[in-house]
Amino acid sequence: MVALLSFIVLLLPVFLARSSPIVADLAARSPVYNHDQRAHCGFSVREDVTRFVVKYANAQRWKPSTPVSISQGASLLQQDLPPACPQSGSNSTSEDCLYMVVYVPNSIGAGINAPSLLWIHGGSFTSGSASDPAINGANLAAATQSIVAVVQYRLGGLGFMAPNGGTNLAVGDVINALKVLNAGIPMIGGSSSKITIAGQSSGATMVRALLATPSASSLFRSAIIQSDPMDYGFLSPGIQQTMQNFFNEQFSCNPSDDSCASSLSVSDILQASDTLYSQAMSLNPAAGQGEPIRPVHDGQLITNTLTTSSFPQTSKSILVSTVVDEAGSTIYTMFPSPVSEQVSVQVLEGLLGTSRADTVLGSERYVVQTSGGVEDARPSLENLGTDYLWKCSSWTFSRTWASSGGPTYVGMYIVGATYPANAGIPFCTSNGAVCHQDDIQIVFGTASNPNTQQTQLIQEMQARYKSFLNTGNPNVPGLAQWNTATSSSTNAILLGGSGPAPVDACTPNFWGGAVSYDYQVYGL
């Protein structure tokens, strides 16, 4: 680890010359020493892993970010976790938020050429941060013997709605994080040729956006996509412009007036973002309800839609997973009590339109259940939401990626650890349900008091991720064989169980065939 020490000693004069409370606080602290007696700016989060906070880019409001180069002092700035990017409901935020939190096993040193994982947090592109305890990367780094970096990026209107029409600022942020990671990790024992990008929910959508960005392709080798609502697709430029116009109308500024834009308060911008989020589907149904603010297929940065009609040839290995009850938190929050089939029909018609709803209702794949004489459409709505937004659309993507040349591994979690946001939803905390986000603490090994099943799955997934990060293949001696998908079959496995995942409605001739995805209906 001499290289790491040299790297930090080189950078310290740059840090200490800066006038900021963070730097002043750092200068007043005693150095942290790990078992190698290496003085550094990190923080020992467990006896065998050190955490660093890296400022990877600078950005003016609504301008593309610029990476902080090594020569300029890509910053191992502080022991404290960084402020989150501005988002509603949080006061501990700052527009100066382009940081990575990097976890490095102490065993990794010069010449090791360890793999790295860049994790992109979820939160519908409007919330989340690298400081979430659930994505503390220390346990994952130790188990996989890899460098785990958790990245923050601009959110909501600040990340996707520049008044002058600039799009995909947040995508550019993550690309700059990858550039800094590529440049910096060889100095601390990592290999720039073994970088995997990964994310969950909107973080997984960001991963998919990077797969569709040729300028980012050389920055990572493989990708992990967890619970990506692929049904939505990327926004088209036309839909983005409609949303942009509505967003701009929330302010009195001329879109080209940078001075006026700079004078706007963060709270006003967040309010405009929230208003856009709530109104987006009425502006254009293609925006959808779950991620209306999201990456745009602009033809410049993101050059491919990655839908069934448009796929590049690829050699990148990907791992795609969903959870068995993806829509559980949404449906059972929306409907805390049983609902009738009549209500279900109204929901389906509102969600899918009459034609698609009629096909679904006539298929007998989502039959409304009756229990104790009480009709309850929630289980069928939950199954349909899971299939429509997550499982079947992910399986369609996986088959197409495989047919385009990329090794593809597909899985479905049937064991999870209840995510804090799901703790107040009875459905998600009972009867073995695994709701959206309940896979996160399994992967990161941050589940509180895991039971035997959870512990076994944590060990399995971390072993599989270790193999995938090193080789692009998640197969490990002693664990069940995980076969790659083909153009006709995902060969999906149960994660937390044994054998293949049930196909159910996720056949090529139903979802994406008889019943179109949103991206097909709206031509995205």
Side-chain angles (χ1 to χ4, degrees), residues 31 63 163 218 233 241 260 273 292 295 297 309 353 356 392 399 407 412 420 454 459 462 469 516:
K63 300 295 183 183
S218 65
Q241 189 60 59
C260 184
S273 295
H297 173 224
S309 61
R356 287 191 291 172
C392 298
R399 290 190 297 265
M412 184 173 72
Q454 291 169 332
Q459 293 172 349
Q462 292 185 341
L469 297 182
S516 298

Side-chain angles (χ1 to χ4, degrees), residues 107-150:
S107 56
I108 293 177
I112 295 296
N113 291 321
S116 297
L117 176 74
L118 181 76
W119 179 267
I120 306 168
H121 70 76
S124 298
F125 291 117
T126 59
S127 65
S129 77
S131 301
D132 183 344
I135 53 176
N136 179 326
N139 293 339
L140 182 60
T144 59
Q145 285 298 289
S146 64
I147 297 166
V148 174
V150 183

Side-chain angles (χ1 to χ4, degrees), residues 12-13 17 22 31 35 103 141 182 188 207 231 253 317 327 377 395 434 442 446 459 473 496-497 503 505 522:
L12 274 175
I22 290 174
H35 70 288
Y103 300 85
N182 270 264
I188 56 174
V207 170
D231 166 80
C253 297
S317 182
W395 283 26
V434 185
I442 295 295
T446 51
Q459 293 172 349
N473 185 323
V503 175
Y522 300 113

Side-chain angles (χ1 to χ4, degrees), residues 392-404:
C392 298
S393 49
S394 291
W395 283 26
T396 297
F397 172 89
S398 298
R399 290 190 297 265
T400 311
W401 189 266
S403 67
S404 296

Side-chain angles (χ1 to χ4, degrees), residues 301-320:
L301 187 69
I302 299 176
T303 63
N304 200 292
T305 62
L306 290 191
T307 60
T308 50
S309 61
S310 177
F311 249 74
Q313 288 297 303
T314 183
S315 61
K316 289 188 185 297
S317 182
I318 65 170
L319 194 157
V320 180

